[in-house]
Amino acid sequence: EGLLRNANGTNAAYLFQPDKENTEMDFGDKTIQCGRKVDTLKLWLMWKSLGDVGLERRVDKMYSLARYMAQQVNSITDKEGRRCFAMVVPTSVTNVVFYFIPPSLRSSNTSDPLSEINLDQLASVAPKIKSQSQRAGKALIGFQPVKQYPNCWRMVFAGAKEDMMTNETVDEILADIMEFGEDL
């Protein structure tokens, strides 16, 4: 008992949050795909499949999508001109870490929308939105603590085929987050 978890598990708190739904169905720590041990093999197989030019194109596309999402996060406002999202940390490689700010917590401070917000209140937003997203069968984006910021959204663009993940897909993801969080 527990052999797969012992062999493959990382117990990464940022991957396996206790406040998400259906944690009993998350078999990530029992699979070889979840850990870093096999990442080099996965990279090599993708490289062999796509070739130098194809891998370069895929990586460039993921960087482009991360930049696009960061731009959207920094620019979307509501009817009153208040920011709907806030970056938590600068985009790193293809990771975009941000908060959705529900209308009840939005500030008129557009240069630093997090400065006037109680982070404990904001921490409860991502789990509620992810729950609704799961029930609706929408994109499942992870949330995790980053530095002093609890439960931030962390969108990682990695390996998606160029035609499957587009700027329009990013727009849909952000629109879904806004829709699910509108009443919070």
Side-chain angles (χ1 to χ4, degrees):
E1 187 172 317
L3 289 175
L4 289 174
R5 185 178 303 279
N6 290 339
N8 299 310
T10 60
N11 296 315
Y14 69 94
L15 292 176
F16 307 107
Q17 305 98 328
D19 52 352
K20 71 178 182 182
E21 289 188 359
N22 305 311
T23 55
E24 71 281 357
M25 297 175 66
D26 190 344
F27 295 107
D29 241 6
K30 294 180 183 177
T31 65
I32 193 169
Q33 294 93 334
C34 191
R36 298 282 183 223
K37 297 171 185 156
V38 77
D39 282 353
T40 53
L41 174 61
K42 292 187 290 187
L43 175 62
W44 182 81
L45 289 170
M46 184 169 61
W47 196 347
K48 291 300 280 182
S49 173
L50 299 174
D52 293 347
V53 173
L55 183 58
E56 178 183 7
R57 186 178 20 231
R58 173 95 32 107
V59 170
D60 288 347
K61 176 68 174 185
M62 298 305 107
Y63 272 79
S64 173
L65 287 168
R67 282 190 304 273
Y68 178 77
M69 181 175 236
Q71 290 168 353
Q72 294 299 91
V73 163
N74 284 321
S75 65
I76 296 174
T77 58
D78 64 14
K79 294 175 188 169
E80 298 169 30
R82 301 175 303 171
R83 298 261 305 273
C84 299
F85 294 94
M87 294 292 289
V88 173
V89 294
T91 300
S92 175
V93 188
T94 63
N95 291 269
V96 183
V97 182
F98 63 97
Y99 276 122
F100 167 72
I101 306 169
S104 63
L105 297 177
R106 288 185 191 146
S107 163
S108 58
N109 183 345
T110 57
S111 62
D112 186 7
L114 296 179
S115 65
E116 300 170 15
I117 296 176
N118 178 324
L119 292 181
D120 290 333
Q121 288 179 305
L122 200 53
S124 69
V125 172
K128 290 174 184 172
I129 291 174
K130 185 165 184 176
S131 173
Q132 290 183 48
S133 184
Q134 279 181 291
R135 282 192 236 117
K138 298 291 186 167
L140 297 180
I141 304 169
F143 60 86
Q144 68 183 69
V146 173
K147 298 183 180 182
Q148 75 270 23
Y149 300 100
N151 287 348
C152 309
W153 292 108
R154 178 176 176 236
M155 180 69 181
V156 181
F157 294 94
K161 291 183 178 180
E162 294 83 356
D163 59 341
M164 294 183 75
M165 180 64 87
T166 64
N167 289 353
E168 290 76 25
T169 311
V170 170
D171 291 338
E172 289 172 23
I173 290 168
L174 293 174
D176 287 342
I177 290 173
M178 290 177 66
E179 179 185 336
F180 294 137
E182 195 60 32
D183 295 328
L184 299 178

